[in-house]
Each structure stands twice: as structure tokens, then as C-alpha cells.
């Protein structure tokens, strides 16, 4: 188990490193939040590593869902922030709630799920609830989703920390459905 958060740890097959699987591990928090807010994920402008580190140090955030509960007045008191920067950050956070499901899936930082896999999963399942309910077999039946990726998705989404995070994101009003048009299948298999 992870000595910091108590979650299970895994060693990659043929790998030398042992990794924590905890969705909210404090030892991985800066990296997790930076990825979640990145341009390719939830695209929260003004929420880079320096700001995130200050938010962590001040105790305002401990997981990605905490970003949606920030108060502009408290954020404005951070170093080099100010009222206007805090307001801009709050607007960017609010806009991110409307992002497509693929961005959320990618932003969760599920191991082996990059941008392309996130788009494939969002297009196939259309809602995060449907993805959470998917079995390993259902996932591996999807083109572009292999056994390793499918197992990583199942493991992540079945963890208590991920379930709590998703519930908190839902309560904050983050979009959990795919807003992208369905993929054009006219040339599939050709």
C-alpha cells in the first residue's frame, strides 16, 4: 500500500517502479491537478502549476473537484494573483464545466488513457455513468482499447476515491455527457 494515502500500489509488468493507484494521493496532487486543468484536459486558463501549488499550500484544494468550490475573494489573496486574475480564473473554471466528456475522461488521469482513448471512450459510451458501468469485456470490444487500457479504466473507476471524485464533480455541475457529434461510421472497416 502507498505509505502516504493507503491506496493499493502496483508494479508495471516488467517495470521497476511501484506506483500508487490512489486518485487523491497527496504525494501526486500537484501533478494530478496540473494535468486536470491543462489545455488538453479541462482547459482552465490561468490555473498553471504555480497557482495550483499555492492553492495546495493554502489548503484550498486537495483534489480536482475542489477547484469548483473556490471563492474569488480567497483566491485573490494568493501571491501575484489580485482581484482581476482571480475573477478570470473563476470564469475559466466555470467555463470548464461545459467541456465535452472526452476532456473530463482525459483530465481524470486514468493510466493508459490519453486524449485519443478518452475520445474513443466518450464517443462509445456517451456518458460517464455508462463508462463507469462498463465491464472489462465491454471495454476490450471497442476498437483502439486494448486489454491493458481496459483494465486501467476498470481499476480506476471502481476505486472509492474515483467514485467520490466523480460524485463531487457531478455535484459541482461538471458535464458528464459527450457533447461531440457521433463519429461518422460510413467508412468504418474500409
Amino acid at each position: 500500500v502507498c505509505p502516504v494515502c493507503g491506496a493499493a500500489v502496483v508494479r508495471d509488468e516488467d517495470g521497476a517502479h511501484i506506483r500508487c493507484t490512489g486518485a487523491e494521493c497527496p504525494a501526486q496532487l500537484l501533478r494530478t491537478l496540473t494535468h486536470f486543468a491543462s489545455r488538453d484536459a479541462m482547459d482552465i486558463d490561468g490555473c498553471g502549476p504555480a497557482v495550483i501549488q499555492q492553492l495546495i499550500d493554502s489548503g484550498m484544494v486537495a483534489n480536482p473537484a475542489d477547484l469548483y468550490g473556490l471563492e474569488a475573494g480567497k483566491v485573490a489573496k494568493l501571491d501575484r494573483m489580485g482581484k482581476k486574475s482571480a475573477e478570470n480564473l473563476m470564469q475559466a473554471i466555470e467555463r470548464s464545466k461545459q467541456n465535452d466528456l472526452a476532456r473530463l475522461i482525459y483530465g481524470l488521469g486514468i493510466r493508459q488513457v490519453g486524449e485519443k482513448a478518452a475520445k474513443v471512450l466518450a464517443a462509445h459510451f456517451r456518458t460517464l455513468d455508462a463508462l463507469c458501468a462498463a465491464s472489462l469485456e465491454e471495454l476490450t470490444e471497442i476498437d483502439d482499447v486494448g486489454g491493458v487500457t481496459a483494465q486501467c479504466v476498470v481499476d480506476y473507476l471502481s476505486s472509492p476515491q474515483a467514485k467520490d471524485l466523480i460524485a463531487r464533480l457531478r455535484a459541482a455541475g461538471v458535464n458528464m455527457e459527450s457533447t461531440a457529434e457521433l463519429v461518422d461510421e460510413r467508412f468504418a472497416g474500409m
Side-chain angles (χ1 to χ4, degrees):
V1 298
C2 173
V4 177
C5 72
V9 295
V10 294
R11 182 187 309 263
D12 291 336
E13 196 172 307
D14 299 325
H17 300 287
I18 296 174
R19 287 182 302 96
C20 172
T21 59
E24 296 178 16
C25 181
Q28 300 179 55
L29 188 55
L30 176 62
R31 190 175 139 271
T32 298
L33 289 169
T34 302
H35 174 74
F36 184 84
S38 71
R39 178 165 290 140
D40 294 330
M42 296 303 282
D43 193 20
I44 303 175
D45 193 35
C47 197
V51 171
I52 291 172
Q53 187 64 60
Q54 288 189 70
L55 292 170
I56 292 168
D57 293 345
S58 67
M60 287 191 236
V61 295
N63 74 36
D66 291 337
L67 292 170
Y68 296 98
L70 290 174
E71 297 173 19
K74 290 181 179 179
V75 172
K77 293 178 183 175
L78 296 174
D79 288 342
R80 290 179 265 153
M81 197 49 140
K83 183 179 179 183
K84 185 64 178 168
S85 295
E87 288 173 3
N88 289 342
L89 177 59
M90 301 313 297
Q91 290 172 2
I93 290 170
E94 190 62 31
R95 277 192 307 273
S96 76
K97 291 179 180 181
Q98 303 311 312
N99 286 337
D100 186 65
L101 174 61
R103 285 181 170 268
L104 177 60
I105 293 169
Y106 178 63
L108 290 174
I110 302 169
R111 188 148 171 81
Q112 299 291 325
V113 177
E115 287 180 76
K116 183 174 192 261
K119 288 177 183 175
V120 167
L121 292 169
H124 183 83
F125 290 102
R126 308 298 294 166
T127 69
L128 191 57
D129 289 337
L131 176 59
C132 289
S135 68
L136 185 64
E137 292 76 27
E138 290 174 291
L139 288 163
T140 55
E141 289 173 1
I142 302 169
D143 289 339
D144 301 323
V145 177
V148 172
T149 301
Q151 189 64 58
C152 288
V153 170
V154 168
D155 291 347
Y156 178 87
L157 294 175
S158 64
S159 75
Q161 290 174 329
K163 288 178 181 181
D164 179 61
L165 174 60
I166 291 167
R168 292 185 60 213
L169 290 169
R170 183 185 320 278
V174 174
N175 177 44
M176 304 269 168
E177 297 182 5
S178 181
T179 57
E181 294 297 318
L182 288 173
V183 177
D184 185 353
E185 298 283 342
R186 290 179 294 170
F187 301 109
M190 297 179 104

